[in-house]
Amino acid sequence: MTEPAAAPTPHLAALGPFCAFETHPEGSEPTPPWRKLSELTEEGNGVLRERVGSVRASLAANYGRPSEAVEQRVAASVAHLGLMARVISPALGLATLHGLPSRPLTLGDLRWGSSLSGAFRLSLPREAVTPAAAEGVQHEHGPGSGTRPVSTLAEDLLAGPVHDLVAAFAPFSVSRHILWGNVASAVNGAVTGITAAAPSLAHPAHAAALTFLQHPQLRNAHTLNPHNARFTRRSCCLIYRAAPGGTGALCGDCVLLRGPGGGGRVGDGRGGRGRGAR
């Protein structure tokens, strides 16, 4: 594999580090330090367990505790949320701006530079994320503004890479309700970052995020207040349990904070971007 290059949609980087990505030739093999994200779902190679262990050690260090003092399922949930934030943010940015990717992506298509940074390096297949590659197909936001309906993009992502990562983390004793809540929180965090960086994109970004959140897998993972559209997930990412005695702070969109109907509005900055930076 040649060294990944700058994305052909450089303005995505202006939407924040979680939306930024590099590109590689489709079908190329990664060279170190790049790795296929699909390694996380392959049994027996220890990559996912290593990732969870690293997050566990980081969480424990934040409180001056030994790693074993933090429950493994807490570390697994936080690790999962971090991956979701990084995978969903560029996808939502592409959906908002271009109606891309032009084809469904698999975890094997995605390359990452493994690190504990939430915005770790990410590379996508160049041919699938180049706007000119599928020019002329109408996007839900209007003629000429993209290539594929956002509903299709959401289905591709949630039924593909996201589903595979949820399944990979479930054996760590993290309920799928929590894991899909992490996904919904990552969508909210992504639109938060996009609208904060580019207020002019608020309308298409919110529309794209709502399309993702209305997907069958996410409908029961969150609540939107009918009066002010404030976002609350219907589960907790568990990060508060990393602190001694489970006394850590709750996230702004947590169901434990205010109960149903509270939390943060879709895109208002109260989602889980900071939690994912592991």
Side-chain angles (χ1 to χ4, degrees):
M1 169 181 165
T2 57
E3 181 68 15
T9 51
H11 47 290
L12 273 171
L15 302 182
F18 278 81
C19 285
F21 60 89
E22 298 166 69
T23 63
H24 58 268
E26 189 164 352
S28 63
E29 287 298 316
T31 55
W34 291 95
R35 306 163 71 171
K36 291 184 179 181
L37 206 56
S38 57
E39 288 185 0
L40 292 168
T41 64
E42 297 171 0
E43 295 184 9
N45 64 12
V47 175
L48 182 56
R49 188 164 294 277
E50 177 185 352
R51 178 73 177 184
V52 171
S54 296
V55 171
R56 190 181 192 185
S58 177
L59 289 171
N62 288 343
Y63 295 102
R65 312 177 75 193
S67 293
E68 59 270 21
V70 174
E71 299 165 84
Q72 186 182 58
R73 71 186 188 108
V74 171
S77 177
V78 175
H80 175 260
L81 179 55
L83 289 166
M84 289 298 96
R86 190 65 180 102
V87 170
I88 286 174
S89 294
L92 191 61
L94 285 166
T96 297
L97 292 169
H98 303 296
L100 293 167
S102 59
R103 66 164 179 82
L105 297 179
T106 68
L107 283 178
D109 290 320
L110 307 182
R111 310 284 190 261
W112 70 319
S114 178
S115 75
L116 288 184
S117 166
F120 52 77
R121 293 178 71 188
L122 185 72
S123 181
L124 308 180
R126 185 173 305 127
E127 293 80 358
V129 297
T130 302
E135 187 176 357
V137 182
Q138 183 162 326
H139 185 260
E140 285 180 348
H141 297 151
S145 62
T147 59
R148 301 173 76 210
V150 175
S151 57
T152 301
L153 299 173
E155 173 65 25
D156 290 345
L157 186 69
L158 297 176
V162 168
H163 175 273
D164 293 345
L165 286 171
V166 166
F169 275 90
F172 286 88
S173 299
V174 185
S175 76
R176 289 178 184 264
H177 182 56
I178 288 175
L179 294 171
W180 284 109
N182 287 346
V183 177
S185 184
V187 172
N188 183 55
V191 71
T192 292
I194 291 170
T195 56
S200 63
L201 293 177
H203 177 72
H206 280 277
L210 287 172
T211 299
F212 273 69
L213 291 173
Q214 288 166 0
H215 187 275
Q217 291 282 18
L218 298 184
R219 285 176 191 159
N220 295 323
H222 74 286
T223 299
L224 291 179
N225 188 301
H227 302 294
N228 56 22
R230 293 174 73 84
F231 174 94
T232 307
R233 55 181 293 168
R234 293 183 179 178
S235 61
C236 173
C237 74
L238 306 178
I239 194 171
Y240 78 95
R241 297 178 63 90
T247 57
L250 297 174
C251 304
D253 62 0
C254 185
V255 69
L256 301 179
L257 187 63
R258 301 168 190 246
R265 185 174 184 271
V266 175
D268 77 347
R270 297 193 177 198
R273 191 69 66 92
R275 295 164 296 167
R278 299 289 174 194

